[in-house]
């Protein structure tokens, strides 16, 4: 239970619990937005994205200056 109102910068803990029901064995969350529903799919593993080429160029050593 939270006593009083939330204040700016205030941190409160809230626990939400539901009784156990064996018939509810899966996730039935539905996602939607203004353009309609969102189709969800389960993935086995998330891959780490590769950095963009601009970031790779910034981490490499600069090329030697051409002779004058």
């Amino acid at each position: 239970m939270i006593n009083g109102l939330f204040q700016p910068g205030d941190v409160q803990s809230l626990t939400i619990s539901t009784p156990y029901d064996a018939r509810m064995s899966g996730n039935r969350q539905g996602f939607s937005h203004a353009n309609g529903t969102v189709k969800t799919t389960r993935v086995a593993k998330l891959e780490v994205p590769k950095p963009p080429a601009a970031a790779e160029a910034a981490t490499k050593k600069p090329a030697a200056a051409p002779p004058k």
Side-chain angles (χ1 to χ4, degrees), residues 3-28:
N3 297 324
L5 301 174
F6 287 115
Q7 300 298 320
D10 194 15
V11 177
Q12 297 283 337
S13 296
L14 178 68
T15 303
I16 300 173
S17 61
T18 59
Y20 175 77
D21 187 351
R23 295 176 293 158
M24 297 173 54
S25 62
N27 184 350
R28 295 283 184 175

Side-chain angles (χ1 to χ4, degrees), residues 25-59:
S25 62
N27 184 350
R28 295 283 184 175
Q29 291 179 341
F31 299 97
S32 65
H33 56 79
N35 295 328
T37 59
V38 177
K39 295 179 183 177
T40 58
T41 57
R42 182 177 290 216
V43 294
K45 183 179 179 182
L46 294 176
E47 300 293 330
V48 176
K50 294 181 180 179
E56 288 179 13
T59 60

